[in-house]
Amino acid sequence: MTTYRIMLVSVLFTSVLLGACSNANEKPQLPMVPINQRSADVRYSALQKIADQNINKWIGDNIEEVRFLKECTWKVDDEIFFNTRKDRAYLLLLIQDNDTSAALDYVYVLYAAQNMSKWTIYFAGLPTFVIPRDRMPQVGKVAMGKLAEFGRQEIRKGYFGSNGQIDDKFVNATFSEELKARHLEFLRKR
């Protein structure tokens, strides 16, 4: 990872972690749809598969911003945060650094947008959560389940409105010309 990106994600994480630490003993009162209740909806598994294929293609194409994934264990999380129309969504990319001396593991936020029945996965210009290994009770990599739990909790803060319903503005607002431009730049960097 470039020094700039590490610094950027460290700043993001520090602000998130400080907020999370102050409420560490409180359970979030956010609605959630259990994964097993929606597993029958093929849109979830189909989009997860598309995201996996895109990431593997980017790695194979030697895209600069994802080269580091060759040295990591990664997984697209099972929980997907669709808007109510199911044509936009946030996904979480859970990343464990395979270097035993690494100090950090990551949760990258991905974005998906459907246009004319075709999904596009966006990687660049989205938040990244950095999880220091030394703040976890276990030694070594942060467990995928813990990475997922952290990422899901952060997304849910904006995903559900005060009425407990999905906030489409939160999901849809990310899809912009700037996101598209960053994605094109991301694809050019090899």
Side-chain angles (χ1 to χ4, degrees):
M1 260 203 196
T2 65
T3 304
Y4 171 75
R5 188 161 181 126
I6 289 174
M7 286 175 33
L8 177 64
V9 293
S10 294
V11 168
L12 284 171
F13 177 72
T14 301
S15 64
V16 170
L17 181 63
L18 290 175
C21 288
S22 66
N23 298 320
N25 293 326
E26 296 176 21
K27 291 284 185 195
Q29 298 300 315
L30 300 171
M32 65 182 274
V33 178
I35 292 170
N36 59 2
Q37 284 186 358
R38 58 179 168 63
S39 61
D41 187 336
V42 296
R43 291 176 284 200
Y44 286 85
S45 57
L47 184 53
Q48 187 180 33
K49 182 178 179 181
I50 290 166
D52 279 333
Q53 290 169 342
N54 274 258
I55 295 165
N56 280 313
K57 181 175 182 347
W58 297 334
I59 293 168
D61 289 347
N62 204 29
I63 302 294
E64 181 180 322
E65 286 190 54
V66 295
R67 277 186 208 140
F68 76 99
L69 291 175
K70 294 176 185 178
E71 308 300 322
C72 299
T73 301
W74 59 270
K75 174 188 187 308
V76 176
D77 188 34
D78 296 324
E79 189 155 336
I80 298 174
F81 298 89
F82 283 102
N83 64 2
T84 55
R85 290 182 49 192
K86 302 269 195 278
D87 65 349
R88 306 279 186 269
Y90 288 111
L91 298 95
L92 300 172
L93 179 60
L94 314 174
I95 304 168
Q96 297 171 321
D97 194 322
N98 289 334
D99 182 346
T100 56
S101 65
L104 306 170
D105 289 312
Y106 308 90
V107 179
Y108 277 59
V109 176
L110 305 177
Y111 191 75
Q114 188 179 45
N115 186 20
M116 299 175 69
S117 301
K118 183 182 183 303
W119 285 99
T120 301
I121 307 297
Y122 296 90
F123 183 89
L126 295 157
T128 299
F129 304 112
V130 180
I131 296 85
R133 290 181 177 180
D134 64 358
R135 304 241 174 142
M136 295 293 137
Q138 83 284 352
V139 176
K141 297 177 185 179
V142 177
M144 285 290 188
K146 285 288 182 192
L147 293 173
E149 182 182 315
F150 181 79
R152 291 170 186 176
Q153 183 177 350
E154 291 303 310
I155 292 293
R156 285 187 192 121
K157 287 177 183 177
Y159 185 65
F160 293 107
S162 59
N163 62 0
Q165 300 299 311
I166 294 169
D167 182 355
D168 280 337
K169 288 180 185 177
F170 174 76
V171 181
N172 297 340
T174 299
F175 191 61
S176 66
E177 292 305 315
E178 181 181 352
L179 180 71
K180 293 178 199 177
R182 286 183 182 195
H183 184 65
L184 290 175
E185 183 63 26
F186 161 79
L187 293 173
R188 281 195 222 41
K189 291 184 178 177
R190 295 174 193 243

